[in-house]
Structures are given as structure tokens and as C-alpha cells.
Amino acid sequence: MCRLLGVVSRTAAPLSSLLAEDIPPFLALACEHGDGWGIASLTAEGSVTSAKEPAAADRSERFLPALCGTRADAGLLHLRMASPGLPVRAENTHPFGDTVVGFAHNGDFTPATCLDDVIGEEGLARAEGQTDSERFYLATRRRIDTGMTPPRALLATAADIRARATGFASLNCLLLTPRGLYAYTAHDPRSDVIRRRGADFFALKYRRSADRVVIASTGWPQESPRWSTVPEGQVLEIRRHDLSTVLHADRTLQPGGRTAS
């Protein structure tokens, strides 16, 4: 399992400043989630850039310089805990994407190949690693490239996973585009992870202020009313141009992205 942290701000600044109060408790989680770190952010021109390393963030010589040197108004961070059997390598390290999209996942589903026919041969040829998380990204990205909005693309891909996978722990993810940051949350309440870690382990929570919105996995105190919880099975959209937040849910969506009649 992994940990996620994201921010959208009215003005660009180093991510270390935008997330100043959250970085210490988030970085402390790297003692357990130590199989890699990654950062995706938006440049002044609106393209996505990333840095990542298959190493523990709290012991990396690159993590803090990358965080301090990344000036942006929107970004996401990821700490990886590799699923059993998946190598700790750069190609399996989040975020996935390019200059258009950045994507990070917290959770797992099996088999990883359950989305292969959704992704298609051309999409699979773009895969660099072996993770289910990258396939989650590739299936979502294919839908975005064909004109589907990011919230609907995430909802449709999640519906496919639930219909095709033999099991999943969590589908929590963050997706970054030039328009903003999108957070999806869904988990299996009967999973071994929930049994061991507690019902709140896969919650995604967000905090609003006048100049930014922060979203995070659990792992340090995030009490209401300062923090709100993203509803299960929904996408929280944080819009870059005005910091407005919109929740998206489509309970009529069928596997394959079809809408029930």
C-alpha cells in the first residue's frame, strides 16, 4: 500500500512551501512506505513534469532537493510500498504519465492484466513496468485521449476493475492535468488491509484554505471540521483556475464505460 499527498494553490511556489505543514508527517510514513517516491507537478506553461526514485524518501539525497526545487501551483506526491512480487525499480515507481497527465495509485487489484483489453495493444506497448497501478493509469489515459473527462474516465476504469478483478484492496488515486487535480477513492471494506489497519486506512481527506486545497491519505491527525472526507466511490475535482471543488459520481456507469438505460 502507498500514501498520497496533493495540492492546488492560487499561486506558484515551491512544493516544500505549499505543503510545509504536511511534509514532516507525510515523510515520516516513508519508514514503512519506503520502496520509492515520486513527485508530479505543473510547469508555468501548464505541462506535467515529474521526478521519482525507487528509494525511501526519508533516506534519499534527492527527495528534499526535488521538493524544494519544484515550483508549481499544483502537484502530487507518492510514497510507495511495493505489492508482493513487484520489483522495486524505477519503471514501477509512481507517478506514471507524461507531459499531459500524472497519475499515482494507492492500493492493488488482481490480476493486473484484467484491464488489458480495455487498454489495447497500442496502450500496452507504452507500459514501462509490471504494476497494476500503471495499467490503471493506461486504461484511464486511453479514455481521456478519446475525449472522456478525467472524472468520468476514472469512474469508468474503476467500474471495469471492480467488474473484472478477482479482488482489490483500494483504487485510491490522484490524477494531475493542466486543468487541476482529481482524487478518486474506493476500497474493499472486507480486505485484509482494513482488518489489520482499521476502517479509516484508505480514507482520502482534503483541507481548504483561502489560497490552496490539500488532499492526503491518512497517517497523521486530520480532524474535522478542518479536514473533510472524499465520499466513497466519488471523484473530487480541484479546479486549478479558481480552486473550486466538485464531486463527481455516476452510479449508472456500467463496466466498459457504458451508461445504463
Side-chain angles (χ1 to χ4, degrees):
M1 299 300 107
C2 308
R3 298 287 87 181
L4 303 167
L5 178 62
V7 62
V8 182
S9 171
R10 291 196 188 279
T11 57
L15 289 182
S16 56
S17 298
L18 295 181
L19 293 165
E21 70 174 275
D22 303 293
I23 292 301
F26 182 73
L27 188 56
L29 302 177
C31 64
E32 180 181 14
H33 302 79
D35 294 323
W37 61 266
I39 301 169
S41 62
L42 290 174
T43 67
E45 295 73 30
S47 62
V48 177
T49 185
S50 64
K52 56 186 179 180
E53 181 185 18
D58 59 345
R59 298 192 296 274
S60 170
E61 295 181 356
R62 293 178 51 198
F63 176 73
L64 288 177
L67 197 65
C68 295
T70 299
R71 184 178 180 85
D73 61 6
L76 65 83
L77 281 64
H78 182 272
L79 299 178
R80 183 183 183 215
M81 179 192 290
S83 298
L86 290 176
V88 179
R89 297 174 180 165
E91 60 265 30
N92 290 335
T93 306
H94 310 220
F96 305 102
D98 52 22
T99 59
V100 179
V101 171
F103 177 90
H105 173 217
N106 167 29
D108 61 28
F109 58 88
T110 55
T113 55
C114 71
L115 290 174
D116 283 6
D117 63 331
V118 177
I119 298 167
E121 291 185 7
E122 183 178 347
L124 288 171
R126 298 163 59 183
E128 297 181 355
Q130 301 82 40
T131 65
D132 53 332
S133 300
E134 187 177 19
R135 281 172 160 79
F136 192 173
Y137 157 69
L138 289 170
T140 302
R141 177 61 184 274
R142 182 179 184 184
R143 288 182 159 109
I144 292 172
D145 288 346
T146 59
M148 193 174 284
T149 64
R152 190 166 179 82
L154 287 168
L155 289 166
T157 303
D160 276 333
I161 294 171
R162 289 195 299 270
R164 297 160 181 255
T166 57
F168 74 94
S170 166
L171 303 180
N172 287 9
C173 59
L174 295 179
L175 187 148
L176 180 68
T177 79
R179 291 184 176 273
L181 186 63
Y182 305 85
Y184 176 74
T185 180
H187 74 281
D188 181 356
R190 301 161 298 179
S191 71
D192 288 342
V193 179
I194 292 298
R195 179 178 55 79
R196 289 185 284 108
R197 300 298 190 101
D200 195 47
F201 184 72
F202 285 122
L204 277 183
K205 301 192 177 185
Y206 63 103
R207 183 184 76 230
R208 295 188 58 92
S209 65
D211 60 353
R212 74 198 64 173
V213 181
V214 174
I215 186 158
S217 300
T218 57
W220 66 94
Q222 298 161 343
E223 304 298 333
S224 62
R226 191 167 183 237
W227 291 83
S228 301
T229 302
V230 180
E232 179 77 6
Q234 297 192 30
V235 175
L236 175 72
E237 175 183 3
I238 308 170
R239 294 175 174 169
R240 187 182 176 205
H241 72 281
D242 64 359
L243 290 191
S244 61
T245 55
V246 181
L247 285 167
H248 300 266
D250 191 345
R251 295 179 180 85
T252 68
L253 201 62
Q254 300 296 305
R258 301 182 301 277
T259 301
S261 57

